[in-house]
Amino acid sequence: MDQASKDLRLDFFILFSSLTGRFGNIGQADYATANAFMDAYANYRNRLVQLNRRHGSTLSVNWPLWRDGGMGVDQEREKMMTQHTGMIPMRTQTGIRALYQVLVSRNAQVMVMEGNLAKMKQKMLSTPAAPEPKVVVKRPESSASGVTNNLLDQVQKALVQMMSQLLKVKSDDISLDVVLNEYGFDSITFTQYTNMINQEYQLELAPTIFFEYSSLESFSTYLIQEHQAALASKLDVITHAAVPMPGEEKSKEVKLSGKRQRSRFVSAQTLPVTKSNPIISEPIAIVGMSGAFPMAEDLKEFWSNLAAGKDCISEIPKERWDWREYYGDPIQEANKTNIKWGGFMDGIADFDPLFFGISPREAELMDPQQRMLMTYVWKAIEDAGYSAQSLSGTKTGIFVGTANSGYSGLISRAKVSIEGYSSTGSVASMGPNRMSYFLNIHGPSEPVETACSSSLVAIHRAVNAIETGSCDMAIVGGINTLVTPEPYISFNKAGMLCEDGRCKTFSNRANGYVRGEGVGMLFLKKLGDAEQAGDHIYGVIRATAENHGGRANSLTAPNPKAQAELLKTAYTKAGIDPRTVTYIEAHGTGTELGDPIEINGLKTAFKELYQIAGDSDNIAANCGLGSVKTNIGHLELAAGVAGVIKVLLQMKHKALAKSLHCETVNPYIQLQDSPFYIVQETKEWSSVQDAQGREVPRRAGVSSFGFGGANAHVVLEEYIPKVRERSKLAVSPENPAIIVLSAKNEERLKEQVQRLMVDIQEQPFTDKDLIDIAYTLQVGREVMEERLAIIAGS
């Protein structure tokens, strides 16, 4: 190219080189040499320009791996690159911006990277380069390799012997590559096996390690990689070479001789969040909220219970079933359970069918989850300040975590005759569909059933639907009712439930979860639309993510690697500094191994997120961990939305509620050298500052993991209201406002009056707020038959 254009009056001559020309790469000596040649040629051609034998400045750009480029690597190598060098694959817009910057720099050679600035600089300064590299590859000597292989053989034999002794199976029947759970391992035997290994080799492993390395083959390789000295000392073997992890290149030592070259360095760190940055979409505002939980008829009472650290678990009420009839040893007797506890709502049978245009007869055959879904969707719409009529014809979606509660079985046992609407009363999809029909809205209308992650997955899918234009607004949430004893019996026999009826999340006494019921609904809109409409905003969803654990240790076992990937996806999409996240509402069911596995996933994810942010060495414990399950039990289908509502209420009151039943932390939970601590007392939720010293909104995450492997996470942010101009209209005795209330009958109207009185007395309202109150009651409420109007000047 240079020879062909030597007589042309060029403005510039650009060479696209590679970082391998600077650093080299195992297995790519030819590619590294070719790129180093281009770097040197740029200097050579610039000398020719000075001699008037060429035209135009010459630039060689050492490019990194591009995210959208043709030369790619697998996910594990990409992860390794980020861990070792701080680099992430360069995004297209970053590369184009960098190209313009380096073009005007007037340098002959410029290196471009994206990621952790501090770590990349350290890598660059610690790696020698040579204009004429001489590459010497030194492979491990065969004797050293043989010694290491001998150690691996001995470790594997020892592990097989211990496993044979523990499980009472023949050594010959144990295969190194078979997943351990296929031999019948459970949480107890994993703990026993870990203790045997720790005692034998003086290690401090936790049983959760087997959820990452699920076969003896992978586990033994891990042991040699991380604990070679302890193993070699015990087994009296001298080692000289490390055994590579699966998927890694075999150990090679590469030496580059030559002088260090100076080169310009252009850093493209994480881009600020702007409308032009496609990494994240517009945040989603939560403008309405409703719910009911054990010992809490509404969200005001729910927060009072959380702030007071109230335990809301009780014995199973008789109107559900008599637990004494089923109480007994579940192992010795069929259809028996020794569980008598739960978190129960009052009034799950209460429903006003005529309000929704449903006959009382049909309502009796409707699953309580359908009835409560309709009631609390309506309450969320009212809380958002909208009338139902204003939503008619709009692209509003409904996404709700719900399923068949077993109510149809009660109907059958009661020998109620089958009607035409018996089927619609029991099918879970009819819940959201009934409300879409009643409101005449045209967005997606979906039930979501991914077990314990259902309501959080529903939020994720609603956010995606708004982002893709499938709907303009959405009502999301979850509902869980406990109406039959059969799930209690099954879950108890599976070892999932605790006999004392308390979710002891993070505690050394963790022994299973207690079931609970509840309902929570949220009204979602794009943040810009909500601000333009003047909506009250509880908080903002910055990002959501969903994944599956794949083939974990068993069908119902968690996968810490998948959980970590989920978190990294969510916070990368959110585009926020991970150091500003100061609370995580954990899934935290309160099991001996499940809680540590979740903590390990959090630690892994945030360690990498902190590294990318450039702050992996200075870690302070500034991120609280809690679980609402310790107050109200595990709400299963509604667990995720209960956690979201708890976080939103904590943001509103700027306080972190105590996580109960955790006086002594589970010994398998190791929080040192991590940003996490357990919220063991109700405390103020302090705000934090970013790297530039600016105060940032309070930020939190909510996790929810289904026992079938479906995981979800939501990133929430406190909403800081913008200063807005108030109406120039002033309310006074001479210029009063009209306060209007309406209901279906006089009894309900009196209830509305009482609720308004309580709110006026409890909220810090002033006369300036009266015009807003009047507006919402006139415009944001449905007009009903029984009415009351008040002329008020103050």
Side-chain angles (χ1 to χ4, degrees), residues 591-621:
T591 57
E592 185 181 15
L593 295 185
D595 292 348
I597 287 170
E598 180 177 3
I599 297 297
N600 289 345
L602 277 165
K603 287 165 59 179
T604 298
F606 272 76
K607 183 178 181 180
E608 294 190 28
L609 291 167
Y610 269 51
Q611 288 174 344
I612 294 172
D615 192 13
S616 58
D617 299 324
N618 185 23
I619 298 178

PDB file of all heavy atoms in Angstrom, residues 591-621:
ATOM      1  N   THR A 591     -31.601 -21.391  54.278  1.00  0.00           N
ATOM      2  CA  THR A 591     -31.130 -22.773  54.281  1.00  0.00           C
ATOM      3  C   THR A 591     -29.626 -22.774  54.501  1.00  0.00           C
ATOM      4  O   THR A 591     -28.929 -21.825  54.149  1.00  0.00           O
ATOM      5  CB  THR A 591     -31.464 -23.497  52.960  1.00  0.00           C
ATOM      6  OG1 THR A 591     -30.888 -22.770  51.858  1.00  0.00           O
ATOM      7  CG2 THR A 591     -32.968 -23.575  52.767  1.00  0.00           C
ATOM      8  N   GLU A 592     -29.122 -23.851  55.058  1.00  0.00           N
ATOM      9  CA  GLU A 592     -27.734 -23.910  55.506  1.00  0.00           C
ATOM     10  C   GLU A 592     -26.745 -23.668  54.365  1.00  0.00           C
ATOM     11  O   GLU A 592     -25.737 -22.979  54.543  1.00  0.00           O
ATOM     12  CB  GLU A 592     -27.454 -25.259  56.163  1.00  0.00           C
ATOM     13  CG  GLU A 592     -26.064 -25.373  56.760  1.00  0.00           C
ATOM     14  CD  GLU A 592     -25.809 -26.733  57.382  1.00  0.00           C
ATOM     15  OE1 GLU A 592     -26.594 -27.669  57.105  1.00  0.00           O
ATOM     16  OE2 GLU A 592     -24.836 -26.871  58.139  1.00  0.00           O
ATOM     17  N   LEU A 593     -27.030 -24.225  53.191  1.00  0.00           N
ATOM     18  CA  LEU A 593     -26.117 -24.074  52.061  1.00  0.00           C
ATOM     19  C   LEU A 593     -26.620 -23.064  51.035  1.00  0.00           C
ATOM     20  O   LEU A 593     -25.822 -22.438  50.339  1.00  0.00           O
ATOM     21  CB  LEU A 593     -25.895 -25.431  51.378  1.00  0.00           C
ATOM     22  CG  LEU A 593     -25.186 -26.497  52.221  1.00  0.00           C
ATOM     23  CD1 LEU A 593     -24.933 -27.740  51.380  1.00  0.00           C
ATOM     24  CD2 LEU A 593     -23.873 -25.969  52.777  1.00  0.00           C
ATOM     25  N   GLY A 594     -27.943 -22.884  50.925  1.00  0.00           N
ATOM     26  CA  GLY A 594     -28.473 -21.955  49.927  1.00  0.00           C
ATOM     27  C   GLY A 594     -28.040 -20.532  50.164  1.00  0.00           C
ATOM     28  O   GLY A 594     -27.668 -19.807  49.229  1.00  0.00           O
ATOM     29  N   ASP A 595     -28.054 -20.082  51.435  1.00  0.00           N
ATOM     30  CA  ASP A 595     -27.646 -18.710  51.740  1.00  0.00           C
ATOM     31  C   ASP A 595     -26.170 -18.464  51.405  1.00  0.00           C
ATOM     32  O   ASP A 595     -25.844 -17.470  50.753  1.00  0.00           O
ATOM     33  CB  ASP A 595     -27.910 -18.393  53.214  1.00  0.00           C
ATOM     34  CG  ASP A 595     -29.394 -18.332  53.539  1.00  0.00           C
ATOM     35  OD1 ASP A 595     -30.203 -18.300  52.595  1.00  0.00           O
ATOM     36  OD2 ASP A 595     -29.741 -18.320  54.728  1.00  0.00           O
ATOM     37  N   PRO A 596     -25.233 -19.337  51.827  1.00  0.00           N
ATOM     38  CA  PRO A 596     -23.826 -19.124  51.452  1.00  0.00           C
ATOM     39  C   PRO A 596     -23.598 -19.144  49.946  1.00  0.00           C
ATOM     40  O   PRO A 596     -22.762 -18.397  49.435  1.00  0.00           O
ATOM     41  CB  PRO A 596     -23.097 -20.288  52.138  1.00  0.00           C
ATOM     42  CG  PRO A 596     -23.974 -20.681  53.266  1.00  0.00           C
ATOM     43  CD  PRO A 596     -25.375 -20.459  52.776  1.00  0.00           C
ATOM     44  N   ILE A 597     -24.346 -19.993  49.241  1.00  0.00           N
ATOM     45  CA  ILE A 597     -24.191 -20.032  47.786  1.00  0.00           C
ATOM     46  C   ILE A 597     -24.590 -18.687  47.190  1.00  0.00           C
ATOM     47  O   ILE A 597     -23.908 -18.147  46.303  1.00  0.00           O
ATOM     48  CB  ILE A 597     -25.037 -21.176  47.187  1.00  0.00           C
ATOM     49  CG1 ILE A 597     -24.399 -22.528  47.505  1.00  0.00           C
ATOM     50  CG2 ILE A 597     -25.195 -21.016  45.675  1.00  0.00           C
ATOM     51  CD1 ILE A 597     -25.267 -23.713  47.176  1.00  0.00           C
ATOM     52  N   GLU A 598     -25.696 -18.119  47.663  1.00  0.00           N
ATOM     53  CA  GLU A 598     -26.111 -16.813  47.160  1.00  0.00           C
ATOM     54  C   GLU A 598     -25.067 -15.741  47.477  1.00  0.00           C
ATOM     55  O   GLU A 598     -24.754 -14.893  46.634  1.00  0.00           O
ATOM     56  CB  GLU A 598     -27.455 -16.420  47.758  1.00  0.00           C
ATOM     57  CG  GLU A 598     -27.945 -15.059  47.275  1.00  0.00           C
ATOM     58  CD  GLU A 598     -29.319 -14.687  47.798  1.00  0.00           C
ATOM     59  OE1 GLU A 598     -29.890 -15.453  48.589  1.00  0.00           O
ATOM     60  OE2 GLU A 598     -29.809 -13.606  47.418  1.00  0.00           O
ATOM     61  N   ILE A 599     -24.518 -15.768  48.697  1.00  0.00           N
ATOM     62  CA  ILE A 599     -23.492 -14.796  49.086  1.00  0.00           C
ATOM     63  C   ILE A 599     -22.259 -14.954  48.201  1.00  0.00           C
ATOM     64  O   ILE A 599     -21.651 -13.964  47.759  1.00  0.00           O
ATOM     65  CB  ILE A 599     -23.109 -14.966  50.569  1.00  0.00           C
ATOM     66  CG1 ILE A 599     -24.318 -14.679  51.458  1.00  0.00           C
ATOM     67  CG2 ILE A 599     -21.951 -14.050  50.930  1.00  0.00           C
ATOM     68  CD1 ILE A 599     -24.853 -13.289  51.376  1.00  0.00           C
ATOM     69  N   ASN A 600     -21.859 -16.196  47.908  1.00  0.00           N
ATOM     70  CA  ASN A 600     -20.699 -16.425  47.043  1.00  0.00           C
ATOM     71  C   ASN A 600     -20.933 -15.847  45.652  1.00  0.00           C
ATOM     72  O   ASN A 600     -20.026 -15.271  45.045  1.00  0.00           O
ATOM     73  CB  ASN A 600     -20.384 -17.919  46.951  1.00  0.00           C
ATOM     74  CG  ASN A 600     -19.802 -18.466  48.239  1.00  0.00           C
ATOM     75  OD1 ASN A 600     -19.380 -17.705  49.105  1.00  0.00           O
ATOM     76  ND2 ASN A 600     -19.785 -19.786  48.382  1.00  0.00           N
ATOM     77  N   GLY A 601     -22.155 -16.020  45.133  1.00  0.00           N
ATOM     78  CA  GLY A 601     -22.468 -15.424  43.832  1.00  0.00           C
ATOM     79  C   GLY A 601     -22.379 -13.914  43.867  1.00  0.00           C
ATOM     80  O   GLY A 601     -21.855 -13.279  42.936  1.00  0.00           O
ATOM     81  N   LEU A 602     -22.878 -13.301  44.936  1.00  0.00           N
ATOM     82  CA  LEU A 602     -22.788 -11.849  45.098  1.00  0.00           C
ATOM     83  C   LEU A 602     -21.338 -11.397  45.158  1.00  0.00           C
ATOM     84  O   LEU A 602     -20.950 -10.414  44.498  1.00  0.00           O
ATOM     85  CB  LEU A 602     -23.511 -11.420  46.375  1.00  0.00           C
ATOM     86  CG  LEU A 602     -25.024 -11.228  46.309  1.00  0.00           C
ATOM     87  CD1 LEU A 602     -25.606 -11.161  47.705  1.00  0.00           C
ATOM     88  CD2 LEU A 602     -25.364  -9.963  45.530  1.00  0.00           C
ATOM     89  N   LYS A 603     -20.542 -12.083  45.941  1.00  0.00           N
ATOM     90  CA  LYS A 603     -19.139 -11.692  46.092  1.00  0.00           C
ATOM     91  C   LYS A 603     -18.393 -11.799  44.762  1.00  0.00           C
ATOM     92  O   LYS A 603     -17.623 -10.905  44.400  1.00  0.00           O
ATOM     93  CB  LYS A 603     -18.473 -12.580  47.149  1.00  0.00           C
ATOM     94  CG  LYS A 603     -18.897 -12.253  48.577  1.00  0.00           C
ATOM     95  CD  LYS A 603     -18.514 -13.347  49.562  1.00  0.00           C
ATOM     96  CE  LYS A 603     -17.036 -13.619  49.592  1.00  0.00           C
ATOM     97  NZ  LYS A 603     -16.685 -14.666  50.573  1.00  0.00           N
ATOM     98  N   THR A 604     -18.632 -12.890  44.036  1.00  0.00           N
ATOM     99  CA  THR A 604     -17.964 -13.074  42.741  1.00  0.00           C
ATOM    100  C   THR A 604     -18.343 -11.967  41.770  1.00  0.00           C
ATOM    101  O   THR A 604     -17.476 -11.362  41.122  1.00  0.00           O
ATOM    102  CB  THR A 604     -18.341 -14.435  42.140  1.00  0.00           C
ATOM    103  OG1 THR A 604     -17.900 -15.473  43.010  1.00  0.00           O
ATOM    104  CG2 THR A 604     -17.705 -14.618  40.768  1.00  0.00           C
ATOM    105  N   ALA A 605     -19.639 -11.675  41.684  1.00  0.00           N
ATOM    106  CA  ALA A 605     -20.109 -10.666  40.736  1.00  0.00           C
ATOM    107  C   ALA A 605     -19.569  -9.293  41.082  1.00  0.00           C
ATOM    108  O   ALA A 605     -19.040  -8.578  40.217  1.00  0.00           O
ATOM    109  CB  ALA A 605     -21.633 -10.652  40.711  1.00  0.00           C
ATOM    110  N   PHE A 606     -19.675  -8.909  42.345  1.00  0.00           N
ATOM    111  CA  PHE A 606     -19.260  -7.550  42.715  1.00  0.00           C
ATOM    112  C   PHE A 606     -17.749  -7.391  42.707  1.00  0.00           C
ATOM    113  O   PHE A 606     -17.245  -6.287  42.492  1.00  0.00           O
ATOM    114  CB  PHE A 606     -19.854  -7.171  44.073  1.00  0.00           C
ATOM    115  CG  PHE A 606     -21.225  -6.559  43.951  1.00  0.00           C
ATOM    116  CD1 PHE A 606     -22.332  -7.346  43.693  1.00  0.00           C
ATOM    117  CD2 PHE A 606     -21.406  -5.194  44.051  1.00  0.00           C
ATOM    118  CE1 PHE A 606     -23.593  -6.797  43.555  1.00  0.00           C
ATOM    119  CE2 PHE A 606     -22.654  -4.628  43.917  1.00  0.00           C
ATOM    120  CZ  PHE A 606     -23.758  -5.424  43.660  1.00  0.00           C
ATOM    121  N   LYS A 607     -17.029  -8.476  42.926  1.00  0.00           N
ATOM    122  CA  LYS A 607     -15.573  -8.388  42.798  1.00  0.00           C
ATOM    123  C   LYS A 607     -15.181  -8.003  41.377  1.00  0.00           C
ATOM    124  O   LYS A 607     -14.342  -7.113  41.165  1.00  0.00           O
ATOM    125  CB  LYS A 607     -14.929  -9.725  43.180  1.00  0.00           C
ATOM    126  CG  LYS A 607     -13.409  -9.694  43.134  1.00  0.00           C
ATOM    127  CD  LYS A 607     -12.823 -11.029  43.572  1.00  0.00           C
ATOM    128  CE  LYS A 607     -11.295 -10.987  43.546  1.00  0.00           C
ATOM    129  NZ  LYS A 607     -10.703 -12.293  43.981  1.00  0.00           N
ATOM    130  N   GLU A 608     -15.815  -8.643  40.401  1.00  0.00           N
ATOM    131  CA  GLU A 608     -15.511  -8.317  39.006  1.00  0.00           C
ATOM    132  C   GLU A 608     -16.046  -6.935  38.635  1.00  0.00           C
ATOM    133  O   GLU A 608     -15.399  -6.187  37.902  1.00  0.00           O
ATOM    134  CB  GLU A 608     -16.088  -9.394  38.082  1.00  0.00           C
ATOM    135  CG  GLU A 608     -15.423 -10.751  38.262  1.00  0.00           C
ATOM    136  CD  GLU A 608     -15.829 -11.751  37.179  1.00  0.00           C
ATOM    137  OE1 GLU A 608     -16.157 -11.309  36.065  1.00  0.00           O
ATOM    138  OE2 GLU A 608     -15.829 -12.963  37.467  1.00  0.00           O
ATOM    139  N   LEU A 609     -17.227  -6.582  39.154  1.00  0.00           N
ATOM    140  CA  LEU A 609     -17.779  -5.256  38.867  1.00  0.00           C
ATOM    141  C   LEU A 609     -16.900  -4.164  39.455  1.00  0.00           C
ATOM    142  O   LEU A 609     -16.669  -3.121  38.826  1.00  0.00           O
ATOM    143  CB  LEU A 609     -19.199  -5.147  39.426  1.00  0.00           C
ATOM    144  CG  LEU A 609     -20.264  -5.995  38.726  1.00  0.00           C
ATOM    145  CD1 LEU A 609     -21.538  -6.049  39.563  1.00  0.00           C
ATOM    146  CD2 LEU A 609     -20.576  -5.441  37.331  1.00  0.00           C
ATOM    147  N   TYR A 610     -16.373  -4.380  40.663  1.00  0.00           N
ATOM    148  CA  TYR A 610     -15.471  -3.414  41.274  1.00  0.00           C
ATOM    149  C   TYR A 610     -14.170  -3.307  40.477  1.00  0.00           C
ATOM    150  O   TYR A 610     -13.605  -2.219  40.332  1.00  0.00           O
ATOM    151  CB  TYR A 610     -15.166  -3.835  42.714  1.00  0.00           C
ATOM    152  CG  TYR A 610     -16.110  -3.263  43.751  1.00  0.00           C
ATOM    153  CD1 TYR A 610     -17.493  -3.370  43.604  1.00  0.00           C
ATOM    154  CD2 TYR A 610     -15.638  -2.639  44.887  1.00  0.00           C
ATOM    155  CE1 TYR A 610     -18.365  -2.869  44.552  1.00  0.00           C
ATOM    156  CE2 TYR A 610     -16.495  -2.122  45.849  1.00  0.00           C
ATOM    157  CZ  TYR A 610     -17.869  -2.243  45.677  1.00  0.00           C
ATOM    158  OH  TYR A 610     -18.719  -1.738  46.605  1.00  0.00           O
ATOM    159  N   GLN A 611     -13.668  -4.433  39.983  1.00  0.00           N
ATOM    160  CA  GLN A 611     -12.440  -4.409  39.183  1.00  0.00           C
ATOM    161  C   GLN A 611     -12.633  -3.573  37.928  1.00  0.00           C
ATOM    162  O   GLN A 611     -11.770  -2.764  37.567  1.00  0.00           O
ATOM    163  CB  GLN A 611     -12.027  -5.833  38.818  1.00  0.00           C
ATOM    164  CG  GLN A 611     -11.470  -6.634  39.988  1.00  0.00           C
ATOM    165  CD  GLN A 611     -11.201  -8.086  39.624  1.00  0.00           C
ATOM    166  OE1 GLN A 611     -11.692  -8.584  38.609  1.00  0.00           O
ATOM    167  NE2 GLN A 611     -10.441  -8.778  40.461  1.00  0.00           N
ATOM    168  N   ILE A 612     -13.762  -3.764  37.264  1.00  0.00           N
ATOM    169  CA  ILE A 612     -14.043  -2.985  36.054  1.00  0.00           C
ATOM    170  C   ILE A 612     -14.158  -1.504  36.393  1.00  0.00           C
ATOM    171  O   ILE A 612     -13.732  -0.632  35.624  1.00  0.00           O
ATOM    172  CB  ILE A 612     -15.330  -3.495  35.378  1.00  0.00           C
ATOM    173  CG1 ILE A 612     -15.110  -4.927  34.860  1.00  0.00           C
ATOM    174  CG2 ILE A 612     -15.752  -2.582  34.237  1.00  0.00           C
ATOM    175  CD1 ILE A 612     -16.368  -5.598  34.342  1.00  0.00           C
ATOM    176  N   ALA A 613     -14.710  -1.209  37.588  1.00  0.00           N
ATOM    177  CA  ALA A 613     -14.840   0.194  38.013  1.00  0.00           C
ATOM    178  C   ALA A 613     -13.511   0.773  38.474  1.00  0.00           C
ATOM    179  O   ALA A 613     -13.416   1.982  38.718  1.00  0.00           O
ATOM    180  CB  ALA A 613     -15.870   0.300  39.130  1.00  0.00           C
ATOM    181  N   GLY A 614     -12.479  -0.069  38.614  1.00  0.00           N
ATOM    182  CA  GLY A 614     -11.161   0.429  38.964  1.00  0.00           C
ATOM    183  C   GLY A 614     -10.925   0.549  40.451  1.00  0.00           C
ATOM    184  O   GLY A 614     -10.106   1.354  40.886  1.00  0.00           O
ATOM    185  N   ASP A 615     -11.615  -0.246  41.264  1.00  0.00           N
ATOM    186  CA  ASP A 615     -11.481  -0.123  42.716  1.00  0.00           C
ATOM    187  C   ASP A 615     -11.581  -1.485  43.364  1.00  0.00           C
ATOM    188  O   ASP A 615     -12.452  -1.745  44.178  1.00  0.00           O
ATOM    189  CB  ASP A 615     -12.561   0.801  43.271  1.00  0.00           C
ATOM    190  CG  ASP A 615     -12.294   1.185  44.720  1.00  0.00           C
ATOM    191  OD1 ASP A 615     -11.174   0.946  45.194  1.00  0.00           O
ATOM    192  OD2 ASP A 615     -13.206   1.721  45.364  1.00  0.00           O
ATOM    193  N   SER A 616     -10.664  -2.368  43.019  1.00  0.00           N
ATOM    194  CA  SER A 616     -10.728  -3.727  43.554  1.00  0.00           C
ATOM    195  C   SER A 616      -9.960  -3.877  44.857  1.00  0.00           C
ATOM    196  O   SER A 616     -10.101  -4.877  45.554  1.00  0.00           O
ATOM    197  CB  SER A 616     -10.178  -4.723  42.528  1.00  0.00           C
ATOM    198  OG  SER A 616      -8.850  -4.376  42.184  1.00  0.00           O
ATOM    199  N   ASP A 617      -9.133  -2.883  45.206  1.00  0.00           N
ATOM    200  CA  ASP A 617      -8.287  -3.012  46.384  1.00  0.00           C
ATOM    201  C   ASP A 617      -8.855  -2.303  47.613  1.00  0.00           C
ATOM    202  O   ASP A 617      -8.541  -2.655  48.734  1.00  0.00           O
ATOM    203  CB  ASP A 617      -6.891  -2.463  46.082  1.00  0.00           C
ATOM    204  CG  ASP A 617      -6.214  -3.225  44.952  1.00  0.00           C
ATOM    205  OD1 ASP A 617      -6.431  -4.456  44.887  1.00  0.00           O
ATOM    206  OD2 ASP A 617      -5.501  -2.607  44.163  1.00  0.00           O
ATOM    207  N   ASN A 618      -9.681  -1.297  47.385  1.00  0.00           N
ATOM    208  CA  ASN A 618     -10.195  -0.503  48.505  1.00  0.00           C
ATOM    209  C   ASN A 618     -11.676  -0.805  48.708  1.00  0.00           C
ATOM    210  O   ASN A 618     -12.550  -0.085  48.247  1.00  0.00           O
ATOM    211  CB  ASN A 618      -9.978   0.988  48.222  1.00  0.00           C
ATOM    212  CG  ASN A 618     -10.364   1.855  49.391  1.00  0.00           C
ATOM    213  OD1 ASN A 618     -10.385   1.390  50.526  1.00  0.00           O
ATOM    214  ND2 ASN A 618     -10.682   3.105  49.124  1.00  0.00           N
ATOM    215  N   ILE A 619     -11.955  -1.901  49.403  1.00  0.00           N
ATOM    216  CA  ILE A 619     -13.336  -2.367  49.569  1.00  0.00           C
ATOM    217  C   ILE A 619     -13.787  -2.134  51.003  1.00  0.00           C
ATOM    218  O   ILE A 619     -13.205  -2.675  51.940  1.00  0.00           O
ATOM    219  CB  ILE A 619     -13.465  -3.859  49.203  1.00  0.00           C
ATOM    220  CG1 ILE A 619     -13.094  -4.076  47.733  1.00  0.00           C
ATOM    221  CG2 ILE A 619     -14.875  -4.358  49.478  1.00  0.00           C
ATOM    222  CD1 ILE A 619     -13.140  -5.524  47.304  1.00  0.00           C
ATOM    223  N   ALA A 620     -14.825  -1.323  51.162  1.00  0.00           N
ATOM    224  CA  ALA A 620     -15.415  -1.087  52.476  1.00  0.00           C
ATOM    225  C   ALA A 620     -16.782  -1.759  52.526  1.00  0.00           C
ATOM    226  O   ALA A 620     -17.475  -1.858  51.523  1.00  0.00           O
ATOM    227  CB  ALA A 620     -15.556   0.414  52.721  1.00  0.00           C
ATOM    228  N   ALA A 621     -17.151  -2.230  53.709  1.00  0.00           N
ATOM    229  CA  ALA A 621     -18.439  -2.917  53.871  1.00  0.00           C
ATOM    230  C   ALA A 621     -19.553  -1.879  53.929  1.00  0.00           C
ATOM    231  O   ALA A 621     -19.979  -1.452  55.004  1.00  0.00           O
ATOM    232  CB  ALA A 621     -18.419  -3.766  55.135  1.00  0.00           C
TER     233      ALA A 621
END
